[in-house]
Amino acid sequence: MSVIALRPGEGRAISLGPIQIIVQEDGTQTRGTLGVAEFTVPPHAPTPPAHIHHAHEEVFYVLEGELDFLAGTETVRAGAGTFVMVPIGALHTFSNPTDRPARFLNTFTPPRYIHYFEEMSKLIQEGMAPGAPAFTELMARYDTEVVPSPATR
């Protein structure tokens, strides 16, 4: 294996409607142990429902702008430089309620969840609306459980 150096914007692009992802590492160079992607989230873009991962850890590192993270029962406003670690079994999601775009670096261990975003992109390109049962089914295939919000329980 050799050192990989990607310049800003380099990597494999995945579109999730208004949210853009650049995959820098899909596990190919890390023996299947780590995935890394950069996300750009426009203001007020639709984001995932609250959920729990049962098979991978996830780290968010905010690069630019601000995001709100649901972390268990708390919502945390996270600006540039904020690190958010989501262990297996922790309830979480994120949103951009501000009027500015936000960017964050996201890691996944193991990297299998990168493929979830590829499949989600296909559903969106086929015109599937966020919140459709197909998205919940997709998340379940990747060992992720959608947790209804308190208003819908």
Side-chain angles (χ1 to χ4, degrees):
M1 300 222 176
S2 60
V3 173
I4 304 295
L6 299 176
R7 300 206 187 292
E10 291 183 337
R12 184 166 40 90
I14 299 174
S15 177
L16 300 179
I19 297 175
Q20 300 301 306
I21 303 172
I22 302 292
V23 177
Q24 285 105 358
E25 174 55 44
D26 62 6
T28 304
Q29 302 299 316
T30 62
R31 301 167 324 284
T33 61
L34 174 69
V36 179
E38 181 181 322
F39 285 64
T40 301
V41 183
H44 312 287
T47 52
H51 58 279
I52 298 170
H53 299 299
H54 295 289
H56 74 275
E57 283 92 8
E58 187 172 22
V59 166
F60 297 83
Y61 186 80
V62 180
L63 300 168
E64 179 182 325
E66 292 183 319
L67 295 165
D68 279 356
F69 284 92
L70 172 66
T73 59
E74 285 186 53
T75 299
V76 176
R77 176 64 54 98
T82 302
F83 173 93
V84 178
M85 170 65 205
V86 181
I88 289 174
L91 177 67
H92 68 288
T93 192
F94 67 91
S95 64
N96 181 357
T98 74
D99 292 327
R100 293 182 39 226
R103 289 185 316 116
F104 63 88
L105 192 65
N106 206 193
T107 66
F108 309 92
T109 55
R112 179 176 164 248
Y113 211 64
I114 296 285
H115 302 298
Y116 159 80
F117 295 116
E118 295 166 338
E119 289 190 49
M120 179 191 264
S121 178
K122 289 177 186 171
L123 289 175
I124 291 169
Q125 289 172 21
E126 292 169 2
M128 193 75 57
F135 286 104
T136 302
E137 292 165 12
L138 175 62
M139 291 177 93
R141 284 202 327 271
Y142 283 88
D143 300 310
T144 299
E145 171 188 359
V146 173
V147 177
S149 70
T152 60
R153 285 187 205 167

